[in-house]
Amino acid sequence: MDRIIEVLRDRIGEKRLGHTLSVVEESLILAKKHKAPEEKVKIAALLHDFAKNITLEESVKLVKDYNLELDDVTITSSELIHGPLGARMVRDYFNIGDQEILNAITYHTTGRENMTTVEKIVFLADFIEPARDFEGIEVIRKRSLENLDEAILMALDSIISYLINKRSIIHANTIHARNYLLKKGIGE
Amino acid sequence: MDRIIEVLRDRIGEKRLGHTLSVVEESLILAKKHKAPEEKVKIAALLHDFAKNITLEESVKLVKDYNLELDDVTITSSELIHGPLGARMVRDYFNIGDQEILNAITYHTTGRENMTTVEKIVFLADFIEPARDFEGIEVIRKRSLENLDEAILMALDSIISYLINKRSIIHANTIHARNYLLKKGIGE
C-alpha cells in the first residue's frame, strides 16, 4: 500500500491523492456495511483515478499502445477514458490480475449494468466521499449505508441530470446501469 | 390519404387521430421551412403512431410473428415498442417500402444518431405539436423553425430530464442521438 501511495503521489499529485484516500476510506465503510471483500475494495478505490491526470492526447496514444478497444464516446473524453485506461495501466504497474478490481476501476465513472458489490462500492464512494458537495448528496450518503442499489440509482439520476445541464456527453453504460436497476424494481 | 385516415381512425381512435393530424400539420410546416420532401414527411407523420394503441402483450406477440429483433429495453415498454412495430406493420398494411419513412416511424420516440431531415422533422413535430404543453416548449418550437439540430438537442435534453424525474427507462438511442449532436458541436 505504501508503495502504491508513493507512485500515486507522483502520478496524480497531492490534491487528487487526498480525494483518492477519501474514496478509500468511504469505500471501506461501505465494504464493512455491505460485507464486501475489503482488500479488493481498498485496492480498486486506491487506483481508481490512476490515469486521471494524463492529458486526453496522451491517453489516446496509450490506448493505442495497449491495443485497448474503446468506443467512440469514451475515446474523446478525458472524463471517460481514464477509467478503462487506468485499469489497463495498473495491470502493468502493480501486476494486478483480479478482474473485479480492474472492472471496478474501468466502470467507476460510468457505472454499467449488473455491477458486482465491489464495483458498486467504488462507484458510489467516488461520488459521495466527504469533499463532494451537491444538492441531494446527504440523502444518497444515507441511502448508501442502507441499500447500495437504491443509492446508485439516485447517483445515476443525479449524474445524468448534471450532464444534461452541462451539455456534456453521457455514456451509454450510465443509461444501461440505470435501466438495469429500474427493471429490477429498484426505486419503486 | 383518406384511406389511411379511415384505417387510423379504426386503429387508434379519434383522440389519437387528432394528435396525429396535428403532427402531420406541424411536420409539413417544418418540411417547407427546411426543404424536406413533403410527401415522405406527411406519410411518416401520419403513420408514426400506427401501433400505439396495441397493448404491450399483443405488441410482443406481433414482434415475434414478424420476427423483429428488438433489444431488451424496447421489448418491455409500450412507449418504445410501438415505433419499430408500427414501422413493420405499415409495410404490410400500406405496402410502404421507403426506408426513410420506415426509419422515421421506427425512431420517432427515441431518436437516434445521424437522423435524416425527414426523421428529424417527424421526431420534432411529435414533440412540439400544438396540443403539447410543457416548460420550455415555446423555445423549442421557435428554434425548430431556425435550426433542426439545435431544436432536437433541446428536445432530447427535455425528454431525458422528464424520464429521469419519472424514474422511467431511457433508450440508449436517445443518448446516442444527443452525443452525436454534441460531437458535431451543436449547442455550443
Side-chain angles (χ1 to χ4, degrees), chain B residues 109 123 127 154-164 170 174:
Chain B
T109 307
F123 174 85
F127 195 65
M154 295 165 83
L156 292 166
D157 282 353
S158 174
I159 289 166
I160 296 166
S161 296
Y162 172 77
L163 294 171
I164 291 283
I170 298 168
T174 306

Side-chain angles (χ1 to χ4, degrees), chain A residues 157 167-168 170 178-179, chain B residues 157 167-168 170 175 178-179:
Chain A
D157 282 352
R167 278 274 158 94
S168 295
I170 298 169
R178 181 174 174 279
N179 288 344
Chain B
D157 282 353
R167 278 274 159 95
S168 295
I170 298 168
I175 300 301
R178 182 174 173 278
N179 288 344

